[in-house]
Amino acid sequence: GGSLGGGHNSIGLAAEGAFMLGLTLWGCLAYLGWVLSPGEGEGVGRRGLEAKLGRVEAMQRSLAAEQLQADEVLRHWRRTYEENRRLLEQHEVQESQLGAKCKRLQNLMGKLGMQGAVALGAGQALGKWAVAGKRLSLLLRRCHEEARQLAQEGVRLGWEERRLLRLEESFSQAQAWRGEVAEGLHLHAIEWTNALTAALGGGEEAEGEGAGGEMGRWRGRLHPPLFGFVERPFGSTINPKSNTSTLHKGIRIRAARGSGVRAIAAGKVAYIGWLKGFGNLIIVEHAGGYHSLFGNLGEIFVGEGEEIRRGGWLGAIGEGEGEEAPGGGPGASLYFEIRRRGEAENPVEWFVHSSFR
């Protein structure tokens, strides 16, 4: 009857624990859904994506803290379970030894046929064994109660393990979503520069100059806007973190911070402004529908609409915005593009071979 009652209590406590854990999981999933859904007024633009990215990073920190706490609780209950299991095995061995002693005593009394005082002495001995047996029974009941509690904790820990698995899955999805957001911002910045260069227009080619006009004749003979080394080349690269391919329409030139930036050819400053992923940006319009783009500028020395000669100073480089940004990365660097009627060309092909060290 005691075992049956203990079993009902165990089922009741396990059900109560499962119900409470279910509420907790429901709350976590509801919060995750709220975080991933667009907020009021955010829309799907760049600012909305950046706001979602901030909430995802906050949720990542919260999930990491909860995982550490759950791991500590799991280790504590596993140690408790192993200690009680060893105690129960010791009690079972003692009970087995006591039963063997009682049996040997009964066999001995049957052989000797003792009566009277001998029987009284045997009764006293049996009484002592009975007391010891009661003590052992109490101890066994305590062991069974502790085993029942451990079983309940095992059920609770099972729910906690499943909850941790769901949290880990949500965390992985959040990381993947963060990579998609960063890639989306990158593509948005590239589309914006494409639209900007298209809106600026390429101008009319000078009569008799052929395709590309005067600018086209300088291919392979120009000097770079500053001297350094090409840290990230033109074309597609693989991001080792997200294992995604990214098309770079320009090059990133590493140099000392504050290094001066020169115009590669004569032209007109068509645009000056700040752009996400490119920092302070200058676009120079050249003959034949060509444009040159200079990003990550820490200082700007010219004004919009100003005519600039080949080799004229445009500004000085500053720090990059971030590794995922088209012109980003730690340290000082210049992001540089050459486009003809909006189509990107490899800038290195325009420079003399000894331009870069």
Side-chain angles (χ1 to χ4, degrees):
S3 300
L4 183 58
H8 286 301
N9 290 336
S10 175
I11 294 174
L13 290 174
E16 182 180 357
F19 176 73
M20 293 302 294
L21 184 58
L23 289 178
T24 302
L25 288 174
W26 179 84
C28 290
L29 292 177
Y31 175 73
L32 179 60
W34 175 80
V35 168
L36 296 180
S37 64
E40 181 179 358
E42 290 179 349
V44 294
R46 185 181 64 204
R47 294 183 180 177
L49 292 176
E50 291 174 341
K52 289 182 180 180
L53 183 57
R55 292 201 300 270
V56 168
E57 291 174 344
M59 184 187 67
Q60 289 176 345
R61 291 190 293 270
S62 176
L63 290 177
E66 285 190 29
Q67 185 172 3
L68 289 175
Q69 184 178 2
D71 289 341
E72 183 60 28
V73 171
L74 182 60
R75 286 192 294 270
H76 168 72
W77 284 113
R78 283 177 175 168
R79 289 194 299 268
T80 303
Y81 174 80
E82 291 295 331
E83 181 178 355
N84 286 300
R85 184 175 62 82
R86 289 194 297 268
L87 183 60
L88 181 59
E89 290 175 352
Q90 292 175 359
H91 292 161
E92 289 175 351
V93 172
Q94 292 178 359
E95 184 180 16
S96 176
Q97 293 175 351
L98 179 60
K101 289 181 179 179
C102 289
K103 187 174 181 180
R104 287 198 300 271
L105 182 58
Q106 290 175 354
N107 293 334
L108 181 59
M109 289 178 61
K111 291 179 180 179
L112 296 176
M114 293 183 177
Q115 297 179 356
V118 177
L120 180 60
Q124 292 175 349
L126 288 174
K128 292 179 180 180
W129 286 114
V131 172
K134 289 181 180 180
R135 291 178 181 175
L136 184 58
S137 297
L138 291 174
L139 187 58
L140 287 174
R141 279 197 294 271
R142 287 177 56 187
C143 290
H144 288 310
E145 179 63 21
E146 291 178 356
R148 183 182 64 82
Q149 293 177 358
L150 286 175
Q152 292 176 353
E153 288 300 327
V155 172
R156 190 183 71 82
L157 290 175
W159 281 100
E160 288 294 334
E161 288 178 347
R162 287 191 287 272
R163 175 174 173 269
L164 287 175
L165 289 175
R166 294 190 184 98
L167 289 177
E168 289 176 356
E169 181 179 355
S170 300
F171 182 73
S172 299
Q173 292 175 353
Q175 285 184 318
W177 183 77
R178 179 179 182 274
E180 293 175 1
V181 170
E183 184 68 17
L185 291 174
H186 178 192
L187 294 177
H188 176 73
I190 292 178
E191 291 174 359
W192 196 93
T193 55
N194 290 339
L196 180 61
T197 53
L200 291 173
E204 295 295 332
E205 296 180 358
E207 183 177 357
E209 292 181 346
E214 181 181 356
M215 178 72 175
R217 292 200 298 269
W218 285 96
R219 184 185 295 271
R221 300 164 56 193
L222 295 177
H223 291 287
L226 81 169
F227 287 97
F229 65 92
V230 177
E231 183 178 43
R232 189 173 65 193
F234 178 87
S236 298
T237 59
I238 301 297
N239 188 326
K241 295 181 180 179
S242 60
N243 197 29
T244 57
S245 176
T246 303
L247 176 62
H248 301 290
K249 296 189 175 183
I251 60 176
R252 190 165 69 197
I253 305 173
R254 174 70 64 188
R257 182 176 183 179
S259 298
V261 178
R262 296 176 180 267
I264 61 170
K268 179 180 179 181
V269 179
Y271 173 82
I272 296 177
W274 183 91
L275 180 62
K276 176 69 175 177
F278 296 88
N280 292 322
L281 178 70
I282 293 179
I283 299 179
V284 178
E285 181 180 0
H286 306 282
Y290 286 93
H291 293 85
S292 55
L293 289 80
F294 307 82
N296 287 345
L297 296 174
E299 297 181 78
I300 295 177
F301 303 153
V302 295
E304 193 168 313
E306 181 176 340
E307 297 289 340
I308 190 74
R309 61 182 176 80
R310 181 164 62 95
W313 294 106
L314 297 174
I317 64 172
E319 296 288 332
E321 286 209 335
E323 191 62 36
E324 282 95 7
S333 62
L334 173 72
Y335 180 74
F336 179 70
E337 289 187 13
I338 293 180
R339 297 196 181 198
R340 184 173 188 271
R341 299 194 181 281
E343 294 296 326
E345 297 188 5
N346 188 353
V348 176
E349 296 177 355
W350 285 79
F351 301 139
V352 294
H353 295 300
S354 60
S355 295
F356 291 106
R357 62 176 183 268

